[in-house]
Amino acid sequence: MPHSLEGSAKGPVSGERGGWVGKSVRKKDAHRFVTGAADYAADLIRPGTLYVSLLRSPHPHALIREIDIAQASRAPGVVAVMTGAGIRALTRSMPTRVPRERFPGPTDVWCLAVEEVIYVGQPMVAVVAERQADAEAAKSLIRIEYELLDPVLEAQAGAESISPTARREWSTNVVFQDKIRQGDVDAAMSGAHCVVSGSMRFGSGTSAPMECRCYVADWNARSGRLTLEGTMQQPHPTRWLLSQALDLPETSIRVVAPSMGGTFGLKMVGHPEEVIVSVLSRHLERPVAFLEGRDECFLANAREQLHEFQIGAQADGKIIAFRDFVRADVGAIGAGGGWLMAFVTPTVFPTVYDIPNVAVDSQVVTTNKPPWQGVRGYGKETANVVMERAVELISAELGMDPLEVRRRNLVPGSGFPHRLPSGLNVDSGDYEGALDQLGGLFESERWMARKATPNGGRGIGIGYAFELTPEGASFPGSMPSGFETSMVTLDPTGTVRVATSVTSPGSGNETGIAQLVADVFGLHPDRVTVTQGDTDITPFGGGNTSSRSLMFGGVASVLAARDLRDRIAICAATLLQADPGKMEFTRGKIAVSGEPDRSLAFEQAVATIYTQAYSTAKDVELPLQVTRTYRSGNVRHTPDEWGRISSYPSFPYAVHAAVVEVDTQTGCVSVLDYAAVHDCGVVVNPGLVEGQFKGAVAMGIGAALWEELLHDIDGSTRTTRLKSYVLPRSTDLPNFRIGHRCTPSPFNPLGVKGAGESGFGGAMAAIANAIADALGEQGRKLARIPCKPEVILDLLEGGQP
C-alpha cells in the first residue's frame, strides 16, 4: 500500500552511524508467532495446577447477609471455596491508583466482595478445583442471601444530590469535577458572528483483545516466594500491588509477563483476579490458575460519556470560542486506573486548533455498572470526535468548506511549543503540511463527483478529521509516576543484551529498541537481544502504557548504550593508538574517523576489556553493564500560574479522510475509501508504526459503527460474546492509504513520539463526519456513537438520538 514520509529527520537518530533507524526491520521472533511456537499465559499452566472459577454478583448493589458454601465445598474435585470474609483474613485491601483520601468516602477494595457488592459481575466467591469444569459446576451449589440496595445506573441521575449512592458509605457519586478556562468564553460567544450548539453521547465500549486474561500463581513454601505469570502490561506495578495486598516484601514476589495476544489497555494493573490467584496459591501451597471467559472479558467497561458543546466563529471562519460540558459514567471504582480516562478527555481540547477562548467543565460520576478498564484512546478519542463534530457544524452554519475552516484555525508550525488550556505543552507539529499531504493521497474530486450522482437510496458521505493524541502519561502519585529504565550489557563475545522495564503487548517494540541500540554500536539488530516482562531480570518501570515503549524505554536504552560505547572507545583508542573521540562504530567494526583502514572488530575490543582489565583496558570502567533511566523534560508536576500541570510529554497527531455509503432504507454503512497522514516524530521502524496506525484506524471504524456494550436495566452486561459485540471484519474495511510526516519532538533525545493510539480517535471522528455528510441536513443532528443502523434510521425519521 502507498507509503510516504515527509518532513525532517528521516535518517539515523542523533548522529548514530548504524543506519537501522528508519528501516522496516522484521519483528524479532516473528517466526515463533506465525508458526504457533510462542507461549502465551495459558500455555504456562503446568500439570497439577488448580483452577479457580469465580461466582460473581447478580445484583448491581446489595449487602451480603449470608453465604452458604457447604455443598460447594463437598462437590467433586473441589479443593477449597473462599469467600470475601476468608480473603479479608488473609490479605489487605488492594491499593487504589489515586490516594484513598481523594474519594468521597471509605474506599477499601477487596479482591472478593466482603460486605457490599457494587456491580453485576463483581467477584464474590472463589471456587478452587482440580479441573476447570469442576470449579464451574460447584458454583451453582453456593447459596447467598442479599439485602438489595437502590442501584445507580445512570450518571445524570447519579450526579443529583437526591440520588442514592453507588457505595453505601459515600456521600456523593460525583468522584471528580474540574473547570478548565482560557480567555473569556461568554464575551467571545456574545461577539461571535454565529454560534452553534450540539451534543454527543458515546456508548460503552471495550477493547476485546484476541486473548482474554489469564493468571497463574505459584507459591513456593520452601523459598517463601510467589511467582505470578500472566497477561500483564505492567509487571513491576503489579508486583507492588501484590506486595501491598499480600503484605509481602517485593523481593518475595516475581511477576512474569509472557507473550500476549493484544491488550489495548485492558491488561493494566489492578484486576482483582491478580490477587485472588496469588492468595489462593499461598494459602493452598499449590499453583492456581484463572482463565477468563469471553463473557467475563466483556465486563470491561469504558468510554460512556455525554458531551454538550458550543462553538462560536466570525464570518471569515475564525473560531473564537469553544465550550464543553462532559459527564463520564465510569461505573464502579476499583483498584484499576481505567476510570482515569475520564480525567484525560477534557485536557485535550481544543486539540489542533488555536482557539483563544475555551471553557471545559467535566464531571466524573461513579455508578453501579462494571468498572472502566483501560481501552485504546484512553479518553482522548472522545475529545477529538467532539471537537471535529463542532468544527463540521460551525462550517455548515457559515456555509464554508470544512477543510478551509480547519486550515484557518490550525495551530501554525511557528506556534510550537503550544500550551493547551489544560496546561499540556504540545511539543511540535505541522498540521497544515499534513493537510496538504492528505490532499495528495485522497481523491476528493472523484468522490465529490460520485456523491453528486443519484444512487437510489444510497448516499455518499465524505468526512475529514484531525486528531491530537497525547502520549507518555506521567501522572503524579501513580506507581510509577512516569519514567522507564533500561540496562544494557555487553557479553565477552560482543553480543548485546538489553533488559528494559517496558513490555510488549505484541506490537514489536522490542524490535525498535534493538534497532536503536544496534545503531549506537554499529551492529546488526540481530546481535541485540531484548528482555522484557520479568521483574527478577528487568529494572523497575511502568511497563506498557500510553505508547511509552520507545519514547521512554528506547531512550533509556540508547543512553545506556552510549555510555557503554564511550567505554569501549577508550579501549579501542588504545589498541589503534588514536584519540577516543575519533572512534566510529559502524558495520561491526570500530575505526578511526577518516581512516577506515585503521580499525578492529567490535568483539575484539570487548574481549580485550574482559581479558586485559589491568593493562590495555585499565582505564575502562567495569563491568560492561550500564543502567539508565529516562524522564521527559516536557512533564511538569508543579502547577503553573493557572494551577495546571502537564502530564503528557509528546503529542502525535493525524488527519483523516473517509468515504462512506449509507443505505437510507436499512441504516447500514459501508466504508468505501480511507486515507490518513500521521506524524509521530522520528519513525524508528516504519513497518511496525504503520501496522499500529492501521490497526488503530480499524478499531476506530469499529467503534464508530458497531462496537457497543449494552447493559440491561438491572445493570447486567447484555453483550457477552463476539456475536453481539460486533467487530469489523477484513471485508468491512477498504485498503488504507497512509502517509507519514516527521516533526521531531524537541523534548525527546531521539525526536520520537508515541505511536500506539493515534488513528483511533481520528477514525471515529472521520467516519461520524462522513455519515453526517451523507445524511445531509438530518446529519447535522448526529449525536450518538456508535452510528448503528437504528441511530441512522432514527435521524432519517426526524428523531434526535
Side-chain angles (χ1 to χ4, degrees):
M1 296 182 186
H3 172 90
S4 59
L5 178 65
E6 296 186 9
S8 58
K10 304 174 193 174
V13 175
S14 303
E16 315 293 8
R17 297 295 300 276
W20 291 105
V21 169
K23 293 183 178 178
S24 296
V25 176
R26 186 174 62 182
K27 183 182 183 299
K28 275 186 169 291
D29 294 334
H31 65 281
R32 292 196 306 115
F33 293 91
V34 298
T35 60
D39 286 329
Y40 294 92
D43 297 320
L44 302 177
I45 300 175
R46 295 174 292 279
T49 299
L50 300 173
Y51 293 84
V52 61
S53 182
L54 301 174
L55 179 66
R56 299 178 181 271
S57 170
H59 302 296
H61 199 193
L63 297 178
I64 303 170
R65 290 308 186 194
E66 184 179 356
I67 301 179
D68 183 354
I69 61 173
Q71 290 189 60
S73 300
R74 296 192 297 268
V78 171
V79 175
V81 180
M82 184 71 70
T83 66
I87 285 288
R88 191 169 189 170
L90 297 172
T91 69
R92 299 188 301 189
S93 61
M94 298 170 65
T96 53
R97 289 295 295 273
V98 300
R100 286 186 172 91
E101 58 268 19
R102 295 181 62 180
F103 293 105
T107 311
D108 287 331
V109 179
W110 300 93
C111 59
L112 292 176
V114 176
E115 297 173 346
E116 179 184 18
V117 292
I118 56 175
Y119 64 94
V120 175
Q122 182 176 2
M124 297 181 61
V125 183
V127 180
V128 186
E130 298 287 353
R131 299 188 309 145
Q132 180 80 29
D134 291 337
E136 295 282 347
K139 288 191 303 184
S140 63
L141 302 176
I142 298 171
R143 298 291 179 262
I144 302 179
E145 182 181 332
Y146 301 92
E147 178 184 332
L148 301 184
L149 302 175
D150 291 333
V152 180
L153 297 174
E154 202 278 321
Q156 182 173 353
E160 301 292 338
S161 59
I162 61 173
S163 170
T165 54
R167 283 179 179 263
R168 183 180 47 156
E169 297 184 356
W170 281 18
S171 58
T172 177
N173 296 313
V174 179
V175 182
F176 173 81
Q177 296 187 96
D178 191 23
K179 294 180 181 293
I180 296 172
R181 295 291 184 270
Q182 176 177 283
D184 189 337
V185 171
D186 290 337
M189 290 291 187
S190 297
H193 174 73
C194 70
V195 175
V196 177
S197 298
S199 65
M200 180 60 69
R201 183 181 297 274
F202 295 89
S204 176
T206 191
S207 56
M210 188 185 324
E211 176 198 31
C212 295
R213 291 180 301 123
C214 172
Y215 308 110
V216 185
D218 189 1
W219 171 259
N220 187 317
R222 296 184 64 181
S223 65
R225 291 201 85 208
L226 172 74
T227 298
L228 178 67
E229 298 175 292
T231 50
M232 291 163 287
Q233 294 178 230
Q234 301 177 279
H236 283 282
T238 300
R239 184 182 67 174
W240 171 80
L241 179 144
L242 292 175
S243 173
Q244 300 292 306
L246 274 63
D247 196 18
L248 282 172
E250 289 181 75
T251 52
S252 297
I253 303 171
R254 180 188 183 192
V255 175
V256 180
S259 302
M260 278 185 277
T263 60
F264 311 114
L266 172 64
K267 297 165 185 175
M268 292 196 292
V269 64
H271 291 282
E273 295 86 357
E274 297 166 349
V275 178
I276 290 171
V277 295
S278 299
V279 68
L280 287 171
S281 180
R282 183 174 65 168
H283 180 62
L284 299 172
E285 297 189 1
R286 288 184 62 181
V288 177
F290 167 74
L291 280 165
E292 182 180 58
R294 182 59 67 179
D295 57 338
E296 293 173 305
C297 186
F298 279 124
L299 289 172
N301 185 22
R303 200 176 291 130
E304 188 171 353
Q305 295 181 356
L306 172 64
H307 291 252
E308 296 171 333
F309 59 88
Q310 193 175 45
I311 188 168
Q314 301 292 34
D316 62 357
K318 178 61 181 174
I319 301 171
I320 59 172
F322 175 80
R323 65 157 51 100
D324 182 47
F325 171 73
V326 51
R327 178 184 290 118
D329 180 344
V330 298
I333 300 290
W339 64 281
L340 296 175
M341 293 185 288
F343 284 58
V344 176
T345 299
T347 68
V348 184
F349 289 111
T351 68
V352 299
Y353 302 109
D354 189 10
I355 302 176
N357 304 286
V358 176
V360 181
D361 294 351
S362 58
Q363 187 180 71
V364 179
V365 182
T366 183
T367 64
N368 294 116
K369 292 176 184 173
W372 273 22
Q373 305 293 347
V375 70
R376 198 174 205 166
Y378 210 80
K380 295 158 270 189
E381 74 282 14
T382 52
N384 282 293
V385 171
V386 169
M387 196 70 234
E388 292 303 308
R389 285 300 301 140
V391 172
E392 288 287 317
L393 290 175
I394 198 70
S395 300
E397 190 70 17
L398 291 167
M400 294 181 64
D401 179 352
L403 282 184
E404 181 58 31
V405 172
R406 286 179 170 86
R407 188 180 297 275
R408 294 186 183 188
N409 289 281
L410 293 171
V411 176
S414 60
F416 295 97
H418 172 73
R419 183 189 183 277
L420 293 177
S422 63
L424 296 182
N425 191 44
V426 183
D427 51 358
S428 64
D430 181 14
Y431 303 152
E432 189 167 3
L435 188 58
D436 291 338
Q437 187 177 346
L438 180 67
L441 288 175
F442 181 65
E443 300 176 301
S444 59
E445 292 184 2
R446 178 169 73 91
W447 288 112
M448 288 292 291
R450 181 167 169 182
K451 175 180 169 61
T453 304
N455 192 23
R458 294 179 179 271
I460 297 292
I462 304 170
Y464 298 94
F466 269 94
E467 66 173 330
L468 183 69
T469 312
E471 296 287 28
S474 304
F475 299 132
S478 62
M479 178 60 72
S481 60
F483 62 87
E484 298 298 338
T485 307
S486 293
M487 178 174 66
V488 180
T489 304
L490 281 172
D491 293 324
T493 56
T495 57
V496 184
R497 290 185 287 122
V498 180
T500 180
S501 60
V502 296
T503 59
S504 175
S507 60
N509 62 47
E510 69 285 348
T511 306
I513 291 173
Q515 290 176 250
L516 288 166
V517 172
D519 268 2
V520 173
F521 294 118
L523 301 174
H524 193 284
D526 286 349
R527 292 181 63 175
V528 181
T529 64
V530 180
T531 300
Q532 301 171 291
D534 187 334
T535 58
D536 272 9
I537 301 174
T538 62
F540 188 88
N544 173 252
T545 63
S546 197
S547 304
R548 66 195 319 102
S549 301
L550 298 190
M551 191 193 335
F552 283 84
V555 173
S557 301
V558 167
L559 294 176
R562 287 175 179 172
D563 285 352
L564 278 179
R565 182 185 61 187
D566 291 344
R567 297 184 191 180
I568 300 168
I570 294 172
C571 178
T574 300
L575 293 171
L576 296 172
Q577 296 295 295
D579 186 334
K582 292 186 176 181
M583 296 296 99
E584 287 188 351
F585 292 69
T586 182
R587 299 182 182 275
K589 294 184 177 182
I590 306 173
V592 179
S593 179
E595 301 180 61
D597 292 338
R598 294 177 64 190
S599 66
L600 73 161
F602 177 83
E603 55 266 29
Q604 180 183 345
V606 174
T608 300
I609 293 173
Y610 276 101
T611 59
Q612 305 295 330
Y614 291 92
S615 54
T616 309
K618 63 183 178 63
D619 295 325
V620 178
E621 182 181 351
L622 296 171
L624 291 184
Q625 184 179 81
V626 173
T627 300
R628 292 291 299 270
T629 296
Y630 176 69
R631 288 180 289 187
S632 173
N634 197 31
V635 170
R636 189 191 66 257
H637 286 175
T638 302
D640 61 16
E641 59 267 39
W642 295 279
R644 313 301 304 189
I645 65 171
S646 183
S647 53
Y648 281 92
S650 86
F651 296 80
Y653 65 92
V655 58
H656 302 244
V659 180
V660 302
E661 183 179 69
V662 180
D663 187 330
T664 58
Q665 300 300 312
T666 65
C668 293
V669 177
S670 300
V671 183
L672 303 182
D673 195 15
Y674 205 98
V677 173
H678 175 225
D679 184 348
C680 63
V682 171
V683 177
V684 175
N685 188 309
L688 294 177
V689 166
E690 187 155 317
Q692 284 290 297
F693 189 78
K694 289 179 177 178
V697 168
M699 290 183 73
I701 291 173
L705 292 176
W706 306 294
E707 298 180 32
E708 185 174 20
L709 288 178
L710 300 177
H711 297 94
D712 284 327
I713 58 173
D714 64 354
S716 60
T717 303
R718 191 192 315 166
T719 310
T720 59
R721 53 184 182 155
L722 290 170
K723 189 169 183 176
S724 52
Y725 191 81
V726 183
L727 297 170
R729 300 162 297 182
S730 61
T731 53
D732 297 321
L733 304 173
N735 288 330
F736 301 149
R737 297 185 304 285
I738 308 299
H740 295 277
R741 295 192 73 73
C742 180
T743 54
S745 174
F747 300 103
N748 186 283
L750 307 181
V752 300
K753 305 178 185 181
E757 293 183 296
S758 292
F760 186 82
M764 289 180 69
I767 293 297
N769 286 339
I771 291 171
D773 181 58
L775 298 180
E777 188 64 29
Q778 294 100 321
R780 296 178 65 175
K781 298 180 181 179
L782 179 64
R784 181 75 164 83
I785 286 180
C787 305
K788 296 195 287 189
E790 57 266 33
V791 171
I792 292 173
L793 291 176
D794 192 43
L795 275 176
L796 291 171
E797 292 169 3
Q800 178 77 41

